[in-house]
Amino acid sequence: MSVRIGINPLTWTNDDLPTLGAETSLETCLTEGKQAGFSGFELGQKFPRTPEVLGPILKAHGLDLVSGWFSGELLTRSVEEEIEAIKPHLHLLKSLGAKAMVYCEVTGCIHGQIETPLSHRPIISEEKIAEMSKKLTQVADYCLSEGVQIAYHHHMGTVIESQHEVDLLMKHTGPSVGLLLDTGHMTFAGGNPLEVQAKHADRIIHVHCKDLRPEILKDAKNRDISFLNAMLNGVFTVPGDGFIDYSSLFKQLKASNYSGWLVVEAEQDPAVAHPLTYATMGANNLKALCAESGIDIVQ
C-alpha cells in the first residue's frame, strides 16, 4: 500500500471566513505548500475553476490536484438537479486527475455563521438521512461512472456531524458513496476516529488530518460557541500538535491497506499560526507517522 500527502489551502486562506488570509496569493499558497513537502493541494476559493487554467498553474509548481469541496443540497434538490449542479466541479476534478470529490450536505448548515452556536446545527431523523442517502447514492453512481468517487465529509454544524450520523449514512448509502474520515471534526463532535476507521475501513477513501488543542476544545464546548469562533480561538492545529492518537490511527490505516491521500486540513488564523511553519510541521509529522506505521509515501 502507499499514500500521498496533500494539504488544503485553509492553512493560508480561509473559505468560511475569507478575511483570513485575504491578502495571501495563490502563488504563495502553492509555493509554500510545495516547500513544506506536499505533493498536492485541495481546491480553495482562490483556485481557478477551469482545468485549462488551473492545470498549468499546478504543473508549474510540481503539484497535483487532490480533490475539492462540493456543497450538496440533496435535502432540497432532486437527483437530477444535483447532478446538473455538480457537473462543472466533476469536470474539473476528472480533467486534472483527482479521484475523490469532497462532498457535504449543507442544507441548513451553520458552520459558516460566526454568531451561531454549534448547538443550533440542523438535526434530521434517520428517515430523512435514509431518503437523502438514496439520492446521494444515485449521484455518487453518476460521479463514479465519470471516474470520480464521492467522499462524504462529516462536518461540524451540518446534518451529518456525529459518529452515529456517520453510521446511519454508511448504513443507508450504497458502496459508490465513499467516506472522508476527518479526525478533527469527528473528535470535536464527540466521536472516536479510531472506531470510525475500524467500522468503515472499506468505505474510507480520503482522510483529512487535523488535530485539536484540548483546553480550547473544552472551552468551546463549555461556552457553546460557533464553529468559526472556536477556529479563531485556535481549536485546530496540524496532526501531531494536539491530543488525537494519530499513531494508533495510522497503524489501523496500514492494517486496512488504505491507499489514498492524507490531507492536512487544519484551519487556523494565518496571522497567528504562521502558514509555512505549520504546513512544514504537518508534512513532517505525517511523514514520521507513516514511517512509524510502515506506510509508504509516493510523490
Side-chain angles (χ1 to χ4, degrees):
M1 64 170 285
S2 62
V3 299
R4 303 187 72 192
I5 63 170
I7 193 165
N8 188 288
L10 283 170
T11 298
W12 291 268
T13 64
N14 195 291
D15 284 15
D16 292 323
L17 199 58
T19 54
L20 296 185
E23 72 289 347
T24 304
S25 67
L26 177 61
E27 174 73 17
T28 296
C29 294
L30 299 179
T31 299
E32 293 190 352
K34 184 68 174 181
Q35 181 182 341
F38 295 99
S39 56
F41 262 82
E42 291 190 331
L43 293 171
Q45 60 175 332
K46 297 185 178 180
F47 283 61
R49 294 306 171 109
T50 59
E52 297 78 12
V53 178
L54 180 57
I57 293 173
L58 291 174
K59 185 177 181 180
H61 288 272
L63 293 164
D64 288 328
L65 179 62
V66 177
S67 185
W69 170 286
F70 181 79
S71 294
E73 297 180 40
L74 279 172
L75 289 174
T76 56
R77 287 200 288 227
S78 69
V79 171
E80 293 73 23
E81 288 168 336
E82 191 81 343
I83 287 174
E84 282 305 308
I86 216 168
K87 280 181 177 178
H89 188 57
L90 177 62
H91 174 67
L92 176 60
L93 297 180
K94 177 183 177 180
S95 299
L96 296 185
K99 300 300 183 184
M101 177 192 297
V102 177
Y103 183 103
C104 181
E105 175 64 40
V106 301
T107 302
C109 68
I110 52 90
H111 63 275
Q113 300 172 15
I114 198 165
E115 299 301 330
T116 305
L118 276 168
S119 63
H120 292 199
R121 64 107 175 181
I123 297 175
I124 58 176
S125 66
E126 180 173 356
E127 181 182 13
K128 279 290 185 184
I129 291 176
E131 290 176 9
M132 181 184 81
S133 296
K134 182 179 180 181
K135 295 162 72 176
L136 177 59
T137 300
Q138 293 178 65
V139 175
D141 287 346
Y142 171 77
C143 291
L144 194 56
S145 74
E146 294 291 314
V148 179
Q149 187 170 11
I150 279 179
Y152 193 93
H153 190 343
H154 55 92
H155 198 288
M156 297 299 296
T158 71
V159 295
I160 305 295
E161 176 186 285
S162 70
Q163 187 169 336
H164 176 61
E165 288 161 345
V166 169
D167 289 344
L168 292 178
L169 184 79
M170 292 295 95
K171 172 185 174 182
H172 292 293
T173 51
S176 60
V177 179
L179 178 63
L180 185 162
L181 174 61
D182 188 299
T183 54
H185 280 273
M186 182 49 60
T187 305
F188 200 140
N192 185 330
L194 297 176
E195 292 177 359
V196 174
Q197 195 282 331
K199 186 170 185 178
H200 303 296
D202 61 332
R203 302 287 294 275
I204 294 171
I205 65 165
H206 205 57
V207 179
H208 276 179
C209 301
K210 61 162 66 73
D211 221 327
L212 293 162
R213 296 183 172 101
E215 292 306 313
I216 301 176
L217 176 63
K218 181 179 179 181
D219 176 71
K221 287 179 172 291
N222 284 345
R223 294 193 293 123
D224 189 24
I225 62 176
S226 69
F227 177 77
L228 289 179
N229 276 325
M231 181 273 294
L232 288 170
N233 289 346
V235 71
F236 295 124
T237 185
V238 296
D241 190 41
F243 73 96
I244 293 176
D245 184 4
Y246 273 98
S247 181
S248 295
L249 177 64
F250 275 48
K251 288 180 174 66
Q252 289 182 197
L253 290 172
K254 169 68 174 179
S256 67
N257 202 35
Y258 174 76
S259 184
W261 285 92
L262 300 171
V263 180
V264 171
E265 192 221 31
E267 51 265 57
Q268 301 186 76
D269 184 345
V272 176
H274 184 250
L276 179 57
T277 298
Y278 276 88
T280 303
M281 185 191 307
N284 289 342
N285 287 347
L286 285 186
K287 291 174 183 177
L289 286 161
C290 285
E292 175 192 337
S293 305
I295 298 173
D296 294 326
I297 298 174
V298 295
Q299 291 299 311

